[in-house]
Amino acid sequence: MRGTRGRPGCGHGEGARATADELLVLVADGDQRAFEELYGLVSGPLYGLVRRVVRDPAQSEEVAQEVLLELWRCAARFDPRRGSALSWILTLAHRRAVDRVRSARAAGEREQREASRAGEPAFDQVAEEVEAGLEREWVRRCLNRLTTLQRQSVTLAYYDGYTYREVAERLSLPLGTVKTRMRDGLSRLRHCLGGAV
C-alpha cells in the first residue's frame, strides 16, 4: 500500500485531527493509518445507522464491517464536490442495510412459500422471537456490568450513532478519556458477550 503521511493541509501525521473528507482522500491513496483514523471517526455513527435499519445486532455488525471494507477498497469513488465524506459513507451504509433487510425478507417469504407448498409449517417465529429477546437481555446484563461512564459512552456511540468527539461533548469530557473508556467498555462487553455462546 502506498502511504501519503504528512500530506500538506491534511493534518494527518502532524498531530492535528484530520476530517473524514481529508482522511478518505488519503485512504484512496492506500494510507492504512488514515483508514484506522477514519474507522475510529465513522464506525460509531455508521453502526448506529445500520442498527436502526437492520435491528439485529449481529447482522448490523456484519453490514457495518462490509461497508468499512468497501470504504477501503472504493475510497477513490468519493467525490467531495457532491457532499461530505460522512454523508457519502452513511449513504453507503444505509443502502447496504436496506439491501440486507430486503434480502432477509425475500428469503423468509421464499421459505414460507416452500413450506406451504410442502404442507409443512413455516419456521417457528415464536422460537425466533424468544431467542432475540434472550440476546437483548444478555446484552442488557453485560452493559449493566460496565461503569456508568463506559455504559454511557458505548450507548451514545453504538446505539445513538454519535462520533467519539460528539460523545465527549455530550458528556463534557476530554476526547482521550472517552476513547479510553470506550475501548475498555467494548473490551469488557466482548468478554461478557463471549460467555453467551
Side-chain angles (χ1 to χ4, degrees), residues 130-147:
V130 168
E131 188 178 325
L134 289 172
E135 283 178 9
R136 280 193 298 274
E137 181 56 32
W138 193 276
V139 169
R140 220 181 335 259
R141 282 187 196 159
C142 289
L143 277 170
N144 286 334
R145 292 181 185 177
L146 302 180
T147 66

Side-chain angles (χ1 to χ4, degrees), residues 42-81:
V42 303
S43 60
L46 191 157
Y47 179 78
L49 172 71
V50 170
R51 181 80 165 81
R52 283 192 291 276
V53 175
V54 176
R55 305 223 181 259
D56 176 77
Q59 294 248 355
S60 298
E61 196 171 302
E62 203 175 285
V63 170
Q65 290 302 320
E66 289 171 6
V67 172
L68 289 163
L69 184 60
E70 186 176 352
L71 281 182
W72 174 250
R73 288 193 313 235
C74 305
R77 288 192 334 220
F78 168 63
D79 182 357
R81 293 169 301 185

Side-chain angles (χ1 to χ4, degrees), residues 34-177:
F35 181 72
E36 289 169 15
E37 200 173 327
L38 182 67
Y39 181 99
L41 193 62
V42 303
S43 60
L46 191 157
Y47 179 78
L49 172 71
V50 170
R51 181 80 165 81
R52 283 192 291 276
V53 175
V54 176
R55 305 223 181 259
D56 176 77
Q59 294 248 355
S60 298
E61 196 171 302
E62 203 175 285
V63 170
Q65 290 302 320
E66 289 171 6
V67 172
L68 289 163
L69 184 60
E70 186 176 352
L71 281 182
W72 174 250
R73 288 193 313 235
C74 305
R77 288 192 334 220
F78 168 63
D79 182 357
R81 293 169 301 185
R82 298 181 67 188
S84 74
L86 187 58
S87 296
W88 184 71
I89 292 166
L90 293 179
T91 299
L92 289 177
H94 187 262
R95 284 183 190 149
R96 185 70 68 112
V98 168
D99 287 348
R100 177 64 63 98
V101 169
R102 285 180 181 151
S103 173
R105 191 176 297 145
E109 288 169 1
R110 264 194 316 275
E111 195 174 282
Q112 285 182 335
R113 279 194 306 272
E114 289 171 15
S116 65
R117 262 187 263 144
E120 299 169 2
F123 181 77
D124 186 359
Q125 290 183 334
V126 174
E128 190 177 74
E129 287 171 18
V130 168
E131 188 178 325
L134 289 172
E135 283 178 9
R136 280 193 298 274
E137 181 56 32
W138 193 276
V139 169
R140 220 181 335 259
R141 282 187 196 159
C142 289
L143 277 170
N144 286 334
R145 292 181 185 177
L146 302 180
T147 66
T148 302
L149 183 54
Q150 288 171 339
R151 187 171 47 255
Q152 287 174 325
S153 301
V154 169
T155 302
L156 286 169
Y158 287 91
Y159 290 97
D160 296 336
Y162 290 102
T163 64
Y164 287 5
R165 184 174 300 285
E166 289 169 335
V167 170
E169 288 169 5
R170 288 183 69 86
L171 297 177
S172 302
L173 292 168
L175 181 60
T177 302

